[in-house]
Structure formats: C-alpha cells, structure tokens
Amino acid sequence: MAASYTTRSSSHPRSNKLLFRQLFEKESSTYTYLLADLSHPDKPALLIDPVDKMVERDLSLVKELGLKLIYAMNTHVHADHVTGSGLIKNKIPGVKSIISKASNSQADLLIKAGDKICFGDLFLEVRATPGHTLGCVTYVTGDGPDQPQPRMAFTGDALLIRGCGRTDFQGGSSLQLYKSVHSQIFTLPKDTLLFPAHDYKGFTVSTVEEEMLYNPRLTKEEEAFKNIMENLKLPYPKMIDIAVPANMVCGLQDVSAKPVEATSN
C-alpha cells in the first residue's frame, strides 16, 4: 500500500497558496526547487534536489521567507554533484531526507510509487520513473481543487527539456526510461509544467504537450530511441566517483540511523 508522509495541519478549511522558487547551481547545471504552503500557519517547505555547494544560499532564502523546512528530497542518486541533504539535516534539526527505496541508498524516508509527501495542505505524488537510474522518481503536485493548477512535475533526470538523462550507468536502461516517460509523465494533463533537475541550454520549464511534440528523442518509436541512446558516446561523468558514494548516504547522512519505509494506510 502507498504511504502518506504528513505534517500537522489545522482543521479549519482555507485556500492554499503555493510558494515556488527555481534555483540554479551553474557548475553542474542543477536546478533545486523550493516549495511551501504559505497559507499554513507554519509555512512548511521542502527542497527538491539540493546541491551541497548551495546549501547556505538555500537555507538563507528559507529563513528570509519565514518558512519551516521539513524535507530535503532527491529525485535519484545523482552522479554529477553531491546532494545537500546531509548538510541541511545537520544545520536544521528535524528536517527529514527523502529518496526512493529502489535507489538502495540512505535517507530518513524511503518512498515508492503512489506515496504522497504532504507539506501543509499541499502534497506531492510519487511516480516511479526508472531508466536513467534504477531509483529515479518524479514528484507531481496533487490533483484536486485545493492543489496548484496547472499541475507541476519535477522529473529529475528522467525527462529534460527537449532531452532526457543518459542510460549507460547506475543500472540505466533506455527501454525502461522510454516506458517510464511515456507511462508516468506523458499521461499527465498536457498543460502540466515540467521542471527538470538540469538544463544546459538556458531553458527553465516545459510542458507535457511540448515534450510530446518536440522532444527529439522521446517522440521517436521505442527502437529508434534505444538506438539514439546507445550511440550518444558521452564522456565518463567527471564527478561520478565522488558523487555517487556520497549520495548513497544522502551526502552527510548518519548511516547508523534506520530509515523509515512506507507503511500501509
């Protein structure tokens, strides 16, 4: 059964108001996303794909905006930078790190497809999108009248703007990635906003409809996509031997702590 990770919310109804910030780390061209429920008294917030070198910037912004950071989340085990999750946990007691159980890495909460990550009265739905790595997930804002519209999907490296993540390491599979994107992302409403973990050409956002029409790889048939991915001839990632071992323990994670797995509703 799917699990729901929640924060305490007041019982009286109110309108929700999403705070959203897209942040950038230029060395690895990584996007970090800050989301918060401003209508909740605590202004609970979460960070998606924080980078260790930018933790001070991120936490300064959280403080300036008067938010209460509760989660530091990753879409997958990154190979091009060290996650900021561990540093954030050390600096703000009570923050929980999140990553997929399928990644076989360390975090406070190990999530799987169908889980909900709640912050105030807003939530993110977890969709499994392996293929770039075994443990990739996409976080999608909730579906409902009290949730942000249009919906937003944080796709990690599974789907990039007019591209996708490579599939030649960390248990990657081009056919699995193709199936993941087409079944878990392209089935979202066409106006869903897509926010990737990286961009190398200056783009910041796309939509499901745009990528279904214009993505030069994922608009191809499955076999053609596989052939493209097998012939990219990309260099060995320069940070992989440092980043992956660190990210398997969420940066500076306390490896003695026992992670919490999904529990049945």
Side-chain angles (χ1 to χ4, degrees):
M1 295 290 289
S4 180
Y5 302 106
T6 66
T7 58
R8 186 172 60 188
S9 173
S10 60
S11 58
H12 64 277
R14 61 186 179 279
S15 62
N16 293 301
K17 184 178 180 183
L18 174 71
L19 177 140
F20 172 71
R21 295 289 185 273
Q22 182 179 41
L23 307 166
F24 188 65
E25 192 278 310
K26 62 182 180 180
E27 186 173 339
S28 61
S29 298
T30 298
Y31 285 123
T32 296
Y33 299 99
L34 173 65
L35 286 75
D37 181 356
L38 288 184
S39 70
H40 189 278
D42 293 336
K43 297 182 181 179
L46 56 83
L47 282 166
I48 299 174
D49 289 334
V51 179
D52 62 342
K53 295 177 180 179
M54 307 305 292
V55 164
E56 292 297 333
R57 175 203 64 185
D58 298 347
L59 297 187
S60 176
L61 180 59
V62 167
K63 183 178 180 180
E64 287 175 354
L65 297 175
L67 309 177
K68 180 182 180 181
L69 187 65
I70 56 173
Y71 295 131
M73 308 161 52
N74 283 288
T75 53
H76 64 291
V77 175
H78 298 274
D80 50 13
H81 68 269
V82 175
T83 178
S85 299
L87 285 172
I88 291 169
K89 281 170 52 64
N90 285 341
K91 291 177 178 292
I92 304 182
V95 172
K96 301 293 186 184
S97 56
I98 295 178
I99 202 166
S100 73
K101 184 179 180 181
S103 69
N104 296 315
S105 56
Q106 291 273 344
D108 296 311
L109 300 175
L110 301 176
I111 47 89
K112 63 182 184 301
D115 286 349
K116 290 182 179 180
I117 299 165
C118 301
F119 53 111
D121 291 327
L122 304 178
F123 69 89
L124 296 176
E125 165 196 321
V126 179
R127 294 194 171 206
T129 48
H132 170 62
T133 72
L134 285 171
C136 287
V137 295
T138 292
Y139 298 115
V140 186
T141 55
D143 186 18
D146 57 344
Q147 300 298 310
Q149 294 296 331
R151 299 180 75 180
M152 306 161 74
F154 301 92
T155 58
D157 287 18
L159 179 61
L160 306 178
I161 298 172
R162 308 300 192 267
C164 63
R166 62 195 293 176
T167 58
D168 58 334
F169 62 90
Q170 288 181 274
S173 163
S174 58
L175 293 184
Q176 190 176 44
L177 179 60
Y178 188 91
K179 288 181 171 66
S180 291
V181 172
H182 280 265
S183 67
Q184 299 300 315
I185 300 175
F186 284 177
T187 53
L188 289 164
K190 289 185 177 181
D191 64 348
T192 300
L193 300 172
L194 301 178
F195 294 97
H198 303 282
D199 190 84
Y200 309 98
K201 297 180 180 179
F203 294 111
T204 57
V205 62
S206 185
T207 66
V208 166
E209 183 174 34
E210 279 187 38
E211 295 309 311
M212 290 178 71
L213 288 171
Y214 306 124
N215 191 294
R217 298 176 183 175
L218 287 154
T219 50
K220 300 289 193 295
E221 294 297 323
E222 193 171 296
E223 284 301 318
F225 175 77
K226 180 182 177 182
N227 185 61
I228 291 171
M229 298 307 292
E230 289 177 349
N231 291 281
L232 291 178
K233 296 181 173 60
L234 296 172
Y236 187 73
K238 63 181 180 179
M239 278 288 292
I240 190 170
D241 293 327
I242 297 171
V244 169
N247 292 336
M248 289 297 289
V249 291
C250 269
L252 296 175
Q253 180 77 20
D254 177 7
V255 295
S256 66
K258 293 183 178 180
V260 177
E261 297 183 9
T263 55
S264 298
N265 283 342

